[in-house]
Each structure stands twice: as C-alpha cells, then as structure tokens.
Amino acid sequence: MKRIKVLPVPKPIETEGLIVLVDILRATSTIVTALSCGALRVKPVASIEEALLYSKQDYLLAGERECVPPEGFQAGNSPIEAQNFAQAKVVLTTTNGTKALSFVKRAKAICAGAFLNLAAVSKFAERFEEVTVLCAGTNGDLSLEDFLWAGKFLGYLFNYERENDAAIVAFEYAREISDILKEIIKSPHARRLEKFGFYKDIEFCARLNIYNTVPILTSEGFVGIEVT
Amino acid sequence: MKRIKVLPVPKPIETEGLIVLVDILRATSTIVTALSCGALRVKPVASIEEALLYSKQDYLLAGERECVPPEGFQAGNSPIEAQNFAQAKVVLTTTNGTKALSFVKRAKAICAGAFLNLAAVSKFAERFEEVTVLCAGTNGDLSLEDFLWAGKFLGYLFNYERENDAAIVAFEYAREISDILKEIIKSPHARRLEKFGFYKDIEFCARLNIYNTVPILTSEGFVGIEVT
C-alpha cells in the first residue's frame, strides 16, 4: 500500500518519494499563481542578499520580511501580485517556506502545494509510492492553514496508509472544515497579515482548485507542469 | 483574558504560568495513577543509570525502554502496575515524557495531565493566567493521544484565549471525537504497545476522570494534590 506522512513543522527528512511543500500564507500560493500565470520559473532563496544577486541576472525580486517586501524588491510574497509575473524569471525569499526546504536531505521529487492547486497536486502525488507533506509552519510552530491543507490533501488521496499520527489528526481535523477561509482567518498569523492590509491575499489563498499547475523544484527553481 | 498554548512536540519553553506535561501512553497516566493510589512521590529521570542510583535509597524503579522495563527495574511504565505503588517512593524513566521536561526553562508550576485526571487538571489550571500544554510526543513527532488530550482539555476550560494555531487545531480536532479509546488505538504508537501485550494499559489510559489527583512537580519529583 502507498504511504503518506505529514510533518506539521519542518524537520530533517530523507525519502525515496515525493515531498509536497506547503506554505499557504503565502509562499506556495504565490509560487503556484506565478507559474500558472506564465512565470518561467520561481527560484526560492533563503536570504535577501542572495535574492539581490539575482537582480543583475534579469530576475524579478519578490518576497517578504515581517509580511512586507524588502527594500529593492519589485513585489511582495503575494499571490495577487504574482498574477502579473507572466514571462518573468522570479526569485522569491520568504520567512518560512524557503527555510523549510533546507530540511530536505533527499527526495525523488519536491513540489509545491496550495489550495489553489490541491486537486492537481493530488493527481500528481498518486504517481508516487511515498508522499510526505512538509508544512512550513511559522517560526518552527504548527500553522493552522498548512495543517488544514495537509488534511484536505489526505481527503483527496485514495489507498494511502496514513503512516504517522500527524496524518491521522490532520485528516480528521480537516474533514469537519468546509469553509476554508473562515477557518484560516482564525489563525494569529492570518490576523497579522490582515492587519498589514493583506486580507485580499488571504481570501485568494483560500480559493480551491483554480489552477492545474504543479510547481516542481529543479536546480533552476520551481517550474510549472500542468496536471489534469 | 487568560491564555493557553499547545506545544504538539517539545520545544524550549519559558513561561510565567503553568505547564501541563502530557504523555498519555504512558508516563503521565502512570504518574497520576501511582499518586492517586498512594505513592509518596514519583521522580522522573532521564537515564536508566540515574534511576539505578535511586535503588539504593529505597526507591521503587519503574520505567521502559522500547516499551518494556529495563533490567533491574521492579515495574514497567504501566498505570495498571502503578495501582500497586501505595507508600512507595518511585523513580520513573521513560523515553519521551522525561525528555520533554528538559525543555522547560522556567515555569510557575509544572503538573502532569492524563485522561484519568482531566477534570481535576482543568480545575487546577484555572488558577493560572497562562497555561501551556507540553505534549511529550514520540521521538520528536506529534502523538495523536497527547494532542487529543490537549484538545479535550481546551474543551474543559472557559474564558481562555487560544493563543497559538496548535491550540485552535487541537480543540477542533478533539471536539468531534467521543470515543477516546477508539481514537487512540489508531496511532502507530498504540498499535506497537498492543503488539507488546499492553492493550489493557491503553484501555486504562483512555479512562476519563477516575482520579482527582493532580501531580505537581517539586524538587523531590511529582507529588499528588487532590483537586475537587
């Protein structure tokens, strides 16, 4: 039987299977949107300094620190802004999403999941015997929206053994939630984003299955493939 | 408003309030049972070597490694065996529960929670403005049974703000669960204990509110106070 695991917060991980990175507010929602709207690639980097190096290579700089774009950046870590990234090579630095990737020691493939492409990621995941959902969390703590995504994702997969307790809990928690936006907005992190004026981003991130694009991590960054 | 946080897995913690240690299978269930049944104190220690030092001081040695008692120990980490600990000074070493305590840097008080004393711990907790549930987890991963306890505990508390996402998720997950044993037995950890012959212990750990004892950590170990 195929197997699935959920990591509620990042920890070192080695797998022969697929890793689905989830950072709903807002990194993976931004990556999915950018690639769905025609961005050529999205390169995740850890630091602002590293991102700035790319600006000389014709990259569009996007990202955030404390919710807002760093100086010299053209865009925030915003899926709404990412709709305008057609034809751009994007470099993206975010607080938690990029950091989570540094925990991956080995994997057959890494893709990015969001509510925006949940069904497409589920279809893609079914090609793998082992799937691990890597929730980015917030500063090392569980994020409601990432964990909710993990649970909803489990609801889309058939014939997978839920291999760890977090997978069982995420599935049962998510099963009872029908209004994604209403649930996400409960989290302190979402309320903080709202205070910074990003309510429309949260609303956007809560939309379900509007894209068929699955971002796949390559050495050049995330590139989009269509899965239908 | 009073505040409550849930840590699904141990991490360094400093608080001016109460920490409730939870290791349902089986450390805190054993501690609660021992003290409810007349044990004088239960001293948690990290290593087998440290536990063995106490045997010269007239302590009863209890604990487990890989589910079973280490050599030279009089008892396992078993609440059913702990019913016979009347008048004993007990030293207890367990894999996860004791380790979780090492993450506490500062706290006003530390107590131990189990389903066996859930209502009593809730009443005790209401004396504090800040409460943190420290789930022991299993080797650094979320444990279903500890997280379920955290959620049920939140259901017993009134007028507390759920301060982090894990508290919100735990509450909503636990709200839908009415049969504690049926839920706990889903976890790989419980199934492993069952395989080692400890089904009756799991069944015992799932019993609700059979004791009014709240174990409080002192320099001498956990001592019991009655809360009604």
Side-chain angles (χ1 to χ4, degrees):
Chain A
M1 202 185 210
K2 296 180 180 183
R3 295 181 303 279
I4 181 155
K5 240 185 217 175
V6 172
L7 303 184
V9 293
K11 56 180 284 183
I13 167 174
E14 285 187 53
T15 170
E16 296 299 328
L18 173 69
I19 291 177
V20 186
L21 173 70
V22 193
D23 185 6
I24 299 299
L25 295 176
R26 296 167 287 165
T28 54
S29 300
T30 298
I31 293 167
V32 170
T33 304
L35 294 171
S36 298
C37 294
L40 301 177
R41 66 182 80 141
V42 181
K43 175 94 183 163
V45 298
S47 70
I48 293 172
E49 295 65 35
E50 206 182 338
L52 288 169
L53 292 177
Y54 281 86
S55 67
K56 295 177 191 124
Q57 298 170 45
D58 208 20
Y59 273 74
L60 186 154
L61 269 54
E64 52 91 17
R65 285 296 180 274
E66 302 291 320
C67 300
V68 298
E71 219 186 298
F73 276 49
Q74 285 92 12
N77 176 24
S78 158
I80 289 181
E81 293 181 52
Q83 290 174 292
N84 306 316
F85 289 177
Q87 300 307 316
K89 293 182 291 178
V90 182
V91 62
L92 178 71
T93 176
T94 73
T95 316
N96 298 298
T98 320
K99 203 178 288 171
L101 286 176
S102 68
F103 284 87
V104 180
K105 304 304 168 202
R106 189 163 45 90
K108 189 168 277 175
I110 299 176
C111 73
F115 288 110
L116 304 167
N117 71 343
L118 176 53
V121 174
S122 309
K123 271 180 209 141
F124 180 70
E126 281 176 359
R127 302 177 191 174
F128 297 83
E129 290 295 311
E130 264 186 63
V131 179
T132 305
V133 181
L134 173 59
C135 298
T138 306
N139 304 322
D141 289 323
L142 179 151
S143 271
L144 182 154
E145 63 277 8
D146 299 343
F147 199 65
L148 177 62
W149 189 91
K152 288 287 179 201
F153 177 61
L154 287 162
Y156 274 69
L157 297 176
F158 294 100
N159 295 319
Y160 276 82
E161 184 198 350
R162 290 170 203 134
E163 226 190 345
N164 67 351
D165 286 18
I168 299 169
V169 170
F171 174 73
E172 299 196 3
Y173 156 63
R175 196 171 46 181
E176 304 299 328
I177 312 284
S178 52
D179 188 331
I180 292 168
L181 178 61
K182 198 173 146 196
E183 183 66 14
I184 289 182
I185 207 72
K186 289 179 187 171
S187 92
H189 180 203
R191 293 204 302 270
R192 190 153 163 269
L193 276 172
E194 197 182 351
K195 227 173 62 186
F196 275 91
F198 294 114
Y199 181 76
K200 281 199 177 307
D201 261 355
I202 303 170
E203 211 172 41
F204 193 94
C205 293
R207 292 177 69 189
L208 197 61
N209 296 330
I210 63 171
Y211 298 130
N212 292 322
T213 305
V214 176
I216 310 288
L217 190 60
T218 70
S219 56
E220 300 292 297
F222 283 100
V223 296
I225 62 166
E226 295 300 296
V227 180
T228 51
Chain B
M1 202 184 210
K2 296 180 181 182
R3 295 183 301 281
I4 182 154
K5 238 185 220 176
V6 172
L7 303 184
V9 292
K11 56 180 282 184
I13 168 173
E14 286 188 52
T15 171
E16 297 300 327
L18 172 71
I19 291 176
V20 185
L21 173 70
V22 194
D23 187 5
I24 299 299
L25 294 175
R26 297 166 287 169
T28 55
S29 299
T30 298
I31 293 167
V32 169
T33 304
L35 294 170
S36 298
C37 295
L40 301 176
R41 68 181 78 139
V42 181
K43 176 93 184 164
V45 299
S47 69
I48 293 172
E49 295 65 35
E50 206 182 337
L52 289 169
L53 291 177
Y54 280 86
S55 67
K56 295 180 192 122
Q57 297 170 48
D58 209 20
Y59 272 73
L60 185 154
L61 269 54
E64 53 91 15
R65 285 297 180 275
E66 302 291 319
C67 300
V68 296
E71 216 186 300
F73 278 48
Q74 284 92 13
N77 176 24
S78 159
I80 290 181
E81 293 182 52
Q83 291 174 292
N84 306 317
F85 289 178
Q87 301 307 317
K89 294 183 290 178
V90 181
V91 62
L92 178 71
T93 177
T94 74
T95 316
N96 297 296
T98 320
K99 204 179 285 172
L101 286 176
S102 69
F103 284 87
V104 180
K105 302 305 168 202
R106 191 163 44 88
K108 190 169 275 173
I110 300 175
C111 74
F115 287 109
L116 304 167
N117 70 344
L118 175 53
V121 173
S122 309
K123 273 181 207 142
F124 180 69
E126 281 177 358
R127 304 176 189 175
F128 296 84
E129 290 296 312
E130 266 185 61
V131 179
T132 305
V133 181
L134 172 59
C135 297
T138 306
N139 303 324
D141 289 324
L142 180 149
S143 270
L144 182 155
E145 64 276 7
D146 298 343
F147 200 64
L148 177 62
W149 189 91
K152 287 289 178 199
F153 178 60
L154 287 162
Y156 274 68
L157 296 176
F158 294 101
N159 295 317
Y160 275 82
E161 185 197 350
R162 289 171 205 134
E163 228 189 345
N164 67 352
D165 286 17
I168 299 168
V169 171
F171 174 72
E172 299 195 3
Y173 156 63
R175 197 170 45 181
E176 306 299 328
I177 312 283
S178 52
D179 188 330
I180 292 167
L181 178 60
K182 197 173 146 196
E183 183 67 14
I184 288 181
I185 208 72
K186 290 179 186 170
S187 92
H189 180 202
R191 292 205 302 269
R192 190 152 163 271
L193 275 171
E194 197 182 351
K195 226 174 62 186
F196 274 90
F198 294 115
Y199 181 77
K200 281 199 177 307
D201 261 355
I202 302 169
E203 210 173 40
F204 192 94
C205 293
R207 292 176 69 188
L208 197 60
N209 295 328
I210 62 170
Y211 297 130
N212 292 321
T213 305
V214 177
I216 310 287
L217 190 60
T218 71
S219 56
E220 300 292 298
F222 282 100
V223 296
I225 63 166
E226 294 302 295
V227 180
T228 51

